[in-house]
Amino acid sequence: MSGPRSRKVGQPVSVPSAVNTIVKTCVGPVEVMIVGEGKKSALVFISHGLGDCSSLRQIALQLVAASPELSIVTWSRPGCGLSPCSDPSLSDPLFYEASVVLPALMNALGIPAAHFLAHADGASVALMFAGLFPKRTLGIVALAPYGLADAHLRAAVEALPIDEIDSEVSEQLVGRHPDPVLVFQRWRRQRISELDRRWSGLSHFSSVSAPLTIVQGARDEFSSLDQTATIAGSVAGQVNWVTLRNIGHSLHYEVPEQVTALVLSHLRCVDALLELPASSRGTLAAVA
C-alpha cells in the first residue's frame, strides 16, 4: 500500500456527495454526514464543542476530491445539530463521548478502526478514545487540541459574553443547531466547570500509541503553545507538531487548503508506517 493517490489541493475536480442521516446507536440517535464512498479505512471527524456534522464539511469535501479512496464520517456531538443532549448530570461529558458515544457510533456504522481528524475539545475526545481503544485508532490529526483547563483558556472563555452569538467567533465556530444560543451557553458552562475543577485529559493521553499530528495556530485565542507542548509530551506514540504563523483557533476556516494538505500528508505517513515491520515503526520520520 503506497497511501491514497492524491490530486493537488485546489485542482478542479468533481464535487463529492455528502449524505446526512440519523444513525441509531445503543446510546441513542446521532446525526451523521458521510462524504465519499472509498474503500479505505474510515476517517472520522470530531468537531469542536460549538460545531455539528457540517462544521468541517469543506475539509471533508477537499479531502475526498483529492483522494477518492477516502470515506469520511463526520457527526454531531451530543447536544449539537440534531443529536440529543447527554445526561446533564455527567461529571465529565468529554470522557463520556470518548468512552461511550464514539465507540457506539463506530459500532453502529460497522467501523472496526479509523483515522481521526478532530478540532479543539473534539481532539480531547479523539485522544481519550485513542488511549482507551488503541486497536481502534489508526492515527489522529488534532487541530488546536484541548488537553487541560489552563489560565490561557480561562482568559479566552471569560472574555466572551454569556449571550455571545453574533461575533466573529460564533460566525466561524457555531454549527447548525435548532437553538445555537443554548448550545453556546451550555458549551460555556462546561468550559467554566472544567476550569474550576482543573480538568485534564492527560492521564488518558499517555496511553495513545497511534501516530499523532498536531496542527496549532500561533495566534490561537483558546489554546496556548505551552498546552500544545504538554499534550505532545504526554502521548506514548510518534508526534508531529506543526505551528502555523498568524493563524488563530479556527484553522479549518482560515486555511482549509493547508489543513487538507497536512491531513493527506499524515495519512500517507500512517500508511507507510503500517507497512513497516513492527520493530521499525518507531524510527519513521515525522510528516514534514
Side-chain angles (χ1 to χ4, degrees):
M1 186 189 312
S2 59
R5 298 189 302 275
S6 302
R7 301 184 180 95
K8 292 183 179 179
V9 176
Q11 182 178 352
V13 292
S14 59
V15 178
S17 61
V19 178
N20 285 73
T21 187
I22 300 294
V23 174
K24 294 181 180 179
T25 78
C26 63
V27 294
V30 177
E31 183 186 24
V32 168
M33 176 187 291
I34 299 174
V35 182
E37 299 177 353
K39 303 303 181 184
K40 292 182 66 65
S41 298
L43 173 56
V44 175
F45 283 18
I46 310 176
S47 73
H48 49 82
L50 290 171
D52 70 342
C53 64
S54 69
S55 296
L56 298 170
R57 183 176 185 272
Q58 184 176 2
I59 304 297
L61 293 174
Q62 289 183 354
L63 284 170
V64 172
S67 288
E69 300 92 343
L70 292 174
S71 176
I72 296 175
V73 174
T74 175
W75 54 292
S76 297
R77 294 165 56 193
C80 297
L82 300 180
S83 296
C85 289
S86 299
D87 184 343
S89 67
L90 287 170
S91 60
D92 191 340
L94 295 178
F95 181 76
Y96 176 76
E97 291 181 35
S99 61
V100 178
V101 180
L102 181 52
L105 176 61
M106 291 174 64
N107 291 344
L109 292 171
I111 300 174
H115 300 277
F116 295 91
L117 170 64
H119 181 215
D121 57 345
S124 312
V125 174
L127 287 166
M128 285 191 285
F129 175 91
L132 293 166
F133 305 100
K135 292 183 178 180
R136 304 194 72 174
T137 308
L138 302 176
I140 305 167
V141 178
L143 308 178
Y146 166 50
L148 68 160
D150 61 6
H152 186 94
L153 176 65
R154 181 179 289 278
V157 172
E158 291 184 345
L160 295 173
I162 294 177
D163 59 351
E164 190 271 346
I165 198 59
D166 296 318
S167 74
E168 183 179 356
V169 171
S170 285
E171 178 186 345
Q172 294 181 13
L173 293 180
V174 174
R176 300 178 300 181
H177 311 293
D179 190 341
V181 174
L182 180 63
V183 171
F184 173 80
Q185 291 175 344
R186 183 173 59 244
W187 170 87
R188 189 179 187 279
R189 285 195 304 270
Q190 182 178 330
R191 292 290 90 82
I192 292 294
S193 171
E194 290 163 356
L195 287 161
D196 290 343
R197 293 183 285 113
R198 298 184 179 180
W199 179 89
S200 172
L202 298 180
S203 62
H204 300 289
F205 299 176
S206 63
S207 300
V208 175
S209 57
L212 169 63
T213 294
I214 297 175
V215 187
Q216 178 79 17
R219 299 180 62 183
D220 194 313
E221 311 93 309
F222 295 95
S223 182
S224 67
L225 295 178
D226 286 343
Q227 171 154 173
T228 305
T230 301
I231 294 171
S234 70
V235 303
Q238 181 187 92
V239 180
N240 177 50
W241 177 5
V242 179
T243 301
L244 303 179
R245 295 181 180 179
N246 301 317
I247 300 301
H249 188 66
S250 304
L251 303 95
H252 62 291
Y253 184 92
E254 298 179 60
V255 285
E257 291 82 7
Q258 195 163 356
V259 169
T260 299
L262 288 167
V263 174
L264 289 170
S265 184
H266 170 86
L267 293 173
R268 287 193 294 268
C269 181
V270 172
D271 280 348
L273 183 64
L274 293 175
E275 285 192 343
L276 291 177
S279 59
S280 303
R281 292 179 183 176
T283 64
L284 187 71
V287 181

